[in-house]
Amino acid sequence: PGLVHPASDPVLQKGDNLLIDSYSCVFENDKVTRPRFKDGLTLPDRLRADGIDTVIMAGIALDVCVRDGACDLKKEGFRVI
């Protein structure tokens, strides 16, 4: 079963290309392709539009997803905890 959430919740689409792994929430592993929300915004775009400059990262895979997302968000100018 899928995750149940309100239809109004923004959902970041990533991992859609079977030829590219997807760990980060900012870039696919080709470091060019950016995951996007259905409205076309990237996560950094959405955070900036909402006035957010600090992101608290949590997850299971520190050696891949959490680390890659945190490093990419830092490169985008966000404070990452």
Side-chain angles (χ1 to χ4, degrees), residues 17-78:
N17 185 337
L18 297 176
L19 301 176
I20 303 173
D21 287 333
S22 180
Y23 299 128
S24 174
C25 52
V26 178
F27 288 105
E28 303 287 358
N29 279 6
D30 64 1
K31 295 300 181 189
V32 175
T33 308
R34 290 181 175 261
R36 297 184 180 276
F37 293 96
K38 289 187 182 198
D39 63 4
L41 291 178
T42 66
L43 181 59
D45 293 338
R46 171 75 47 127
L47 295 172
R48 288 184 187 107
D50 290 343
I52 296 170
D53 62 4
T54 302
V55 178
I56 299 172
M57 299 290 291
I60 296 171
L62 178 60
D63 60 328
V64 282
C65 299
V66 177
R67 181 200 63 211
D68 285 6
C71 289
D72 286 342
L73 284 168
K74 287 282 287 179
K75 290 176 189 172
E76 291 284 323
F78 293 92

